[in-house]
Amino acid sequence: MDNSQEYYDAYKKHHVFDEIDHMMEFYDCISYSSSSFIPNGTPNIGNYEANIYQSIRTTLNSIKILLGVRHISDAFVLIRKLFDTVLANIYLDVVREDEFDWMNSSVVKDLDEWLKKEHRIPRTERILKVLKNSNTTKELYPWFGWDTYLKTNRSILDNYVHVNNYGSVLLNCPDLFIQDREEQLKNASIMLNQIMMIHLAFTFYMNAPYMTSSDYMDYSEIDMVSPQGSECWLAPFAQQAFDIFLKPHEKLAMFIKEHCPMDIEMKQKQTMHFGSSEML
């Protein structure tokens, strides 16, 4: 029986729980800030992406709860769901950018049908092919190991979804002593950091206005002229996420800064970098 209070206290202090808190904070903030934007290609009055971000935040909270009570296999199943949601969000952004034609139609067919529950998101292979070949994302796509460690990690997550081995059963039994249970928190951290790195990079690359500082609008609300360039000021929540999840990947961070219209701070300062996006 794994009832050691000392072991459990150490388990609960693992850095993955703080990482998830910072991820949830980012999605809470961007869900709110994006709600005032109306994306091209959809007839909806509201922004469907605000709901996607809030859904991701909820999934992260569920993952944190499951890890906290040591239902590790269930947590990995939700990490796989998180990966799928992020890929779907990126895919829809690319389709919306590539296929929107305001002269002939106000909506993008695939996106509109998906919102109406009439269209299914393509399989992962198809999504990656679109990202690789699209003029919108073909320069960003090569920065991630889609065909190497990400493919390997997705296969690992599939093992939990489909119960491909007895170990996935044991890891869902919190009262059993499993020597490498804490090691699984490290694996969860690696995968979550990879997913966050990918989503954050694509968000800065494609949806930077969602992360504009509120100062720009605050001036307008009090009938004052906003300072020149303030439309490019980055919201604190976005800078913090950049510092934690992108800045440790120096070359990728520089690429994002060079291709993002926002004023991203790159000066070296103390950052809260807990885990790693290394290969399992």
Side-chain angles (χ1 to χ4, degrees), residues 11-255:
Y11 179 94
K12 293 286 285 186
K13 291 178 182 177
H14 193 277
H15 55 74
V16 69
F17 296 105
D18 286 332
E19 290 170 355
I20 294 173
D21 283 341
H22 286 291
M23 293 174 192
M24 289 194 296
E25 180 182 1
F26 171 78
Y27 286 110
D28 249 344
C29 291
I30 197 171
S31 175
Y32 176 79
S33 63
S34 64
S35 62
S36 60
F37 291 83
I38 307 300
N40 293 330
T42 170
N44 285 4
I45 296 176
N47 189 347
Y48 71 93
E49 292 202 276
N51 295 326
I52 291 179
Y53 296 141
Q54 194 55 229
S55 177
I56 290 174
R57 190 266 179 208
T58 302
T59 300
L60 285 165
N61 189 50
S62 298
I63 291 169
K64 181 182 178 183
I65 291 170
L66 289 170
L67 289 176
V69 295
R70 294 178 287 178
H71 297 178
I72 291 176
S73 291
D74 285 349
F76 278 118
V77 171
L78 283 187
I79 292 175
R80 162 64 192 274
K81 174 184 181 293
L82 178 68
F83 201 170
D84 288 345
T85 305
V86 165
L87 284 180
N89 183 218
I90 295 171
Y91 168 77
L92 291 171
D93 278 342
V94 174
V95 168
R96 179 165 54 84
E97 180 69 23
D98 289 353
E99 298 184 8
F100 179 64
D101 182 0
W102 63 271
M103 294 187 66
N104 295 314
S105 175
S106 62
V107 300
V108 172
K109 182 175 180 293
D110 284 356
L111 174 58
D112 186 45
E113 291 182 353
W114 180 78
L115 291 170
K116 294 175 180 177
K117 306 175 186 178
E118 299 171 355
H119 176 75
R120 181 174 178 173
I121 294 293
R123 297 178 66 87
T124 301
E125 293 77 11
R126 170 61 182 164
I127 292 177
L128 296 184
K129 185 176 180 180
V130 169
L131 301 187
K132 183 177 181 179
N133 296 328
S134 169
N135 288 329
T136 302
T137 53
K138 65 181 182 181
E139 291 186 19
L140 180 59
Y141 178 88
W143 286 92
F144 310 102
W146 302 104
D147 297 321
T148 54
Y149 61 87
L150 286 171
K151 184 176 182 179
T152 298
N153 289 350
R154 190 173 179 85
S155 178
I156 292 172
L157 294 174
D158 285 344
N159 287 336
Y160 291 98
V161 173
H162 303 296
V163 197
N164 286 339
N165 59 66
Y166 185 45
S168 63
V169 174
L170 297 179
L171 283 173
N172 231 33
C173 301
D175 294 329
L176 291 179
F177 176 73
I178 300 175
Q179 194 156 2
D180 71 339
R181 192 185 296 275
E182 193 167 350
E183 183 72 12
Q184 299 306 318
L185 292 184
K186 176 186 175 184
N187 292 341
S189 171
I190 290 171
M191 293 184 181
L192 287 169
N193 272 275
Q194 288 173 343
I195 295 168
M196 186 67 181
M197 172 186 65
I198 291 168
H199 202 198
L200 199 59
F202 275 90
T203 303
F204 270 95
Y205 197 71
M206 299 183 63
N207 288 317
Y210 291 170
M211 297 177 288
T212 303
S213 171
S214 63
D215 294 327
Y216 179 69
M217 292 302 299
D218 291 343
Y219 279 98
S220 300
E221 290 175 0
I222 58 175
D223 295 324
M224 291 183 63
V225 177
S226 57
Q228 185 175 2
S230 59
E231 69 277 6
C232 295
W233 291 354
L234 189 63
F237 78 86
Q239 181 66 60
Q240 175 176 275
F242 184 91
D243 290 344
I244 297 173
F245 300 108
L246 281 179
K247 191 178 287 186
H249 310 277
E250 294 181 10
K251 292 182 179 180
L252 173 61
M254 284 302 303
F255 176 85

Side-chain angles (χ1 to χ4, degrees), residues 266-278:
M266 283 295 293
K267 289 183 181 179
Q268 292 298 321
K269 57 184 178 181
Q270 185 176 5
T271 60
M272 293 172 284
H273 178 48
F274 305 98
S276 170
S277 59
E278 64 190 83

